[in-house]
Structure formats: C-alpha cells, structure tokens
Amino acid sequence: MTLFEEIRRRRTFAIISHPDAGKTTLTEKLLLFGGAIREAGAVKSNKAQRYATSDFMEIEKQRGISVATSVMGFEYNNKKINILDTPGHQDFAEDTYRTLTAADSVIVVIDAAKGVEAQTEKLVEVSRMRKTPVIFFINKMDRPGKETLELLDEIEEKLKVTIIPLSWPIGAGIKFKGVYNIWKKELNLFRPGDETPDPAIILQDIYSPLLEKYADSSAETLREELELAKGVYQPFDQQKYLNGDICPVFFGSAINNFGVRELLECFIEIAPPPRAAETETRTVFADDEQFSGFVFKIHANLDPKHRTRIAFLRVVSGVFHRDQNYFHPRLKRNLRFGSPTSFMADKKSVIDEAYPGDIVGLPDTGIFIIGDSLTEGEFLKFRGIPSFSPEQFRYIENINTMKYKQLNKGIEQLMDEGVAQLFVSRYNGRKIIGTVGALQFDVIQYRLEHEYGASCRYESLPMFKACWITSSNEKKLKDFLEAEHASIADDIDGKPVFLASSPWRLNRTKEEYPDIQFYFVSEWDG
Ligand code: G4P
C-alpha cells in the first residue's frame, strides 16, 4: 500500500465523557468489533477490580478511575482505527486536553438520563477551540432518560454546538424499541440483553407499513418526531462536520452492544484521516515524504517490575521505521529505536513501521518531555501542545533526608510525564507543585513512594492561578519581575510565571502593569 493509501485508511480519535457515561463500555464494544479483544465483560466483570484494559497503573485499579490515557488500535473494514482513551476524572483534565492534540476527531459519550455533565462541557469546549470534528453517542437508551428533543436542545445549548441526529430512538427505557438509522435509512430493533442485534431492516420510506410491523404503536410517534427533526435540523454535510461546525448524533446502548456498529460504520466513512499539523516554522502535511511526529504523553511503569517509561508519539508525516536514526531537535541528537511498539487493547507489540495517525510507543529513559518532536533532521516544533495554568498549588518538601536525590529524580520524571507542573519560587527557592485537581497530589505522593522510594509532604499555598508573562518592553518586564519578586516563580523551561493569589489580585496587577501580558496557557502564540 502506498503512503497515501495508508493515510486514507486511518482514523485516529479520542473518546471522551463524564465518568460513568459508558466510555469504557463503548470502547470495549468497539474493540470487540475489531477483534482486538475477545470478551468485553472479562475486563471489568468484577466491580472490586473494575478496570478497563487501558488502565495500566496500579493506582487506577485502586481508585477505580481511569487515570491514564492510553491507545488502542484495531482494524475494521480495511480501516485502521486508533482509539485514544482519556481519563474521565476531572482532576486529570490536562491529560485529556493533551490527548486531544493527538486526535483527528472525537466521540463524546453522553448518558441519556444525565444529559450534559460538567466534564463533558469542558472537554467539548477544548475540542471546539481546536475545531476538532465531534460525534455524539447518546448512551443508556435502555434506561428511562430525558425526552429526545429536550436532550438534543440541552446538548446544543450547553455545549454551544450545532447537532445533526443521524439516528433517532424509538421510545426509551423499558419502552425502548430501537433506532431508526437516518444515515443508512435502516431500522435497528433492540432486544434487551441480546448482544448480537438482529440485522438491520432497510426502510428507505418511513411511511412504509413495514414500520408498523416492527415498531407497532411507536411507529406514528417515530414518524412525527422524524418529521419534526427534519424541520429543526439541517441535512448532514460532511464538510461542515469536518470543519467542526456540525456534530452528528447517534443513540444506543453500549452495554447491550446496540447502536455501536452503526456508530462505527458511519464514523469510518465520515471521520477525517490524519490531518496536517502546524509547527513554529511550517505546516506539516500527513503525506510529506519525510517522517515527523510529536510526543503527547509519557507513561511510567507499564511493567511495575521495571522502571521504564514509554513516550507516546503521534506520527504526523511520512513513515516511521524501526531501527532508523531520527533527530530529536530539542536535544539536537540522533536517536534510534530498536523496539518501538504499537498498542492493541491490552497488548503491545513491536512494530517495524508506522504511518501518520498511528501512535508509537517509544521506550524512554528520560530523553523525552511532552511536546518533543522527532524528525529526519529538520528542526520542527509542533504547536498546540500547551500547558494550562494549574488551579491548585502546594509546596513540596522532602521528609527523608537520605532520599533527597530520589525525590528530586521522581519529581523531575513525573513532571516530564505531565502529571503536574513544577515551579520554583524566586522568593524563597522552594519547589511548588501545580495541578488541575487535588487528586494529583495523592498520585504524586503515592508514585514517589512506590516508584522512587521517596517520601514528601505538602504545604498548602492558597493561589488562584499561575500566569505566564511577557512584555514587548524589556525594561518594564524587568521592573515588574523585581517589584513582584515575592509572587514570581520559574516554570520548568525557566519561563517566569506570576502567582496570583486571587482573581482580584490578578486584575489589580494587570491594571497596575498595562505593559505586561498575562496568560493562562503557556503557549500563548500557538
Ligand atoms: P465510564 O468509562 O464512562 O466511566 O463508564 P463505564 O463504561 O464504566 O460505565 C458506567 C456504568 O454504566 C457501568 O455500570 C456500565 O455497565 C453501565 N453502562 C454502560 N453502558 C450502559 C448502557 O447502555 N445501559 C445501561 N443500563 N448501563 C450501561 P456499573 O454498574 O457502574 O459497573 P459494572 O458493574 O456494570 O461494571
């Protein structure tokens, strides 16, 4: 197959949801279709040890939430599909934001009864900012849920998107009879508990008496609702979807394996193949002959017996080959990888080559940080992999003087992985850990102890935000840094940040120093 054909057949997407909406269940059903796993329930049949195939870390098993983001690839209808799983828990939102930089499109799972939940709002907002094409899957239709039109209105209003239903439910809860697949003009009938749904019934004309035969008393309601929907929603336009302007919606019940195949079949047809990516110097197109890629995630200790890390590299252009020399622009070094891996559900296997859209696992001994690129020699720095201002801050202190080195090493490596951000106060030289949620402090403490044998304690630092600062006037910037010395810290790249104790203090400082620009995101020009 040519490079062009390999690119055309790839679909790399992230699956996101508020916890408990059914992301894991849907992912497993998709993997089942691709033959990547054999039995869905097997990986989470027992609630006490409930975890998905994607949850590698011990801590996740303990907490029952998906802390890590991982990758699962499978083949379906000659398409190579790469699913990027994301942690649902809000404290790990930054991990999810970064994963979105490696995805060409997104599937958002929504619980039909709960509607749009907080975490969905945040994540869809990031997708919208990046103009990523989004498909919604409304899950748990077998449970009593919100009324269809009400739910669709809520999605449009809360998520500020324009939706296009490509399937329509027939009833809900105990009266859920199935869906009419508007995309394919087919009727899919639901039989609760039966994981191998009946073949679809082709029904081009919804006024056909066949509808009564299958949907009996619900037939008339379905017709009315479909007529109504025709008036309310515009017809599907693939280009608008690809531009991120409209979002198709599917209904189903992941646990019952219902509506999943329809979602998958439409997805592989309409979702974008690997897209071009911007760098600081030029646009890199997927079909550029020269290989390039960037690291969007670093994962430690896949195998708890070894302290190995794995860097997740998204191939952007060209073909990645095993055992070939590649250039690491930040370190200005050539590197060669003898055992790069691909991911197939819970298995990883060594690969010889990878194409745009693929995610390659590179064994990492501390040479990568998030955002690094690999090329065939060109100095490329991909844009759009920002750090977001943390929302919680604590001083971190060593409590075992014998383990000082281990602690520093552990902190450094966890920061490279993007678990949290490290700042050093210019005022007192103390280390400050900044995170999006409180849970990360526990994760850091746990991992420092279990992986590095180091112990730490925290001291609270009631701050509101860390703002990156710039100014076109160097003198004014210098004056500002001096005057606000007590509130300045350096980030891991040595960039100064202003630690604002409250929104009020931030606003006052902004007014006082009109020549200084304050940013909540580290990549302000990206
Ligand atoms: P998440 O990854 O988004 O957090 O959600 P997950 O798939 O773990 O699903 C959350 C719960 O919702 C699970 O139940 C799961 O079985 C259930 N679920 C998923 N899809 C459907 C569906 O279509 N219909 C119904 N009725 N339930 C669904 P649990 O009791 O929390 O866990 P488990 O004991 O079933 O594993």
Side-chain angles (χ1 to χ4, degrees), residues 425-490:
S425 164
R426 286 197 181 178
Y427 176 63
N428 56 21
R430 293 175 72 184
K431 288 193 167 91
I432 300 166
I433 301 278
T435 69
V436 178
L439 194 50
Q440 268 122 326
F441 290 110
D442 294 353
V443 172
I444 292 167
Q445 205 162 28
Y446 177 96
R447 290 190 53 189
L448 284 172
E449 208 176 311
H450 287 81
E451 294 168 29
Y452 300 91
S455 332
C456 71
R457 78 180 167 78
Y458 296 116
E459 196 178 305
S460 75
L461 183 62
M463 287 292 161
F464 157 66
K465 288 269 183 189
C467 300
W468 283 269
I469 40 191
T470 60
S471 176
S472 53
N473 185 330
E474 266 184 43
K475 163 93 176 60
K476 294 255 162 89
L477 182 62
K478 194 164 163 272
D479 291 347
F480 171 78
L481 292 174
E482 268 168 26
E484 294 296 333
H485 187 66
S487 304
I488 305 293
D490 289 298

Side-chain angles (χ1 to χ4, degrees), residues 16-28 44-47 50 52 64 66 85-86 88 109 111 137 139-143 252-258:
I16 58 182
S17 78
H18 193 89
D20 261 359
K23 181 169 65 69
T24 312
T25 313
L26 177 64
T27 306
E28 286 179 340
K44 45 175 279 175
S45 54
N46 178 346
K47 197 145 193 169
R50 173 181 152 183
S66 183
D85 189 18
T86 57
V109 185
D111 182 325
F137 181 73
N139 190 29
K140 306 197 186 182
M141 289 306 295
D142 57 315
R143 290 248 188 95
S253 169
I255 195 98
N256 289 293
N257 201 13
F258 186 80

Side-chain angles (χ1 to χ4, degrees), residues 397-439:
E397 295 293 343
N398 181 23
I399 51 173
N400 182 347
T401 43
M402 308 291 287
K403 297 286 172 75
Y404 184 74
K405 269 193 185 159
Q406 284 89 328
L407 184 84
N408 278 351
K409 182 161 191 218
I411 294 177
E412 192 190 313
Q413 296 206 342
L414 293 182
M415 298 309 124
D416 287 355
E417 278 176 39
V419 174
Q421 292 178 59
L422 179 71
F423 304 96
V424 178
S425 164
R426 286 197 181 178
Y427 176 63
N428 56 21
R430 293 175 72 184
K431 288 193 167 91
I432 300 166
I433 301 278
T435 69
V436 178
L439 194 50

Side-chain angles (χ1 to χ4, degrees), residues 12-16 84 96-108 123-136 160-162 238-248 267 271-273 275 314 384:
T12 301
F13 74 102
I15 183 157
I16 58 182
L84 308 181
T96 302
Y97 300 155
R98 278 195 298 258
T99 298
L100 293 177
T101 66
D104 297 307
S105 70
V106 164
I107 291 183
V108 181
L123 297 173
V124 172
E125 192 184 331
V126 176
S127 309
R128 223 183 35 233
M129 269 161 43
R130 300 180 54 82
K131 293 243 155 233
T132 311
V134 171
I135 295 180
F136 288 99
K160 302 182 194 68
V161 293
T162 304
Q238 189 179 6
Q239 200 49 49
K240 286 188 182 170
Y241 155 69
L242 293 174
N243 295 342
D245 294 334
I246 57 164
C247 308
F267 170 81
R275 302 205 280 183
R314 147 101 197 203

Side-chain angles (χ1 to χ4, degrees), residues 180-198:
Y180 181 67
N181 186 335
I182 301 171
W183 169 250
K184 280 202 168 164
K185 297 198 169 21
E186 284 175 358
L187 200 57
N188 300 106
L189 297 178
F190 175 65
R191 277 190 287 134
D194 188 344
E195 291 217 3
T196 37
D198 291 341

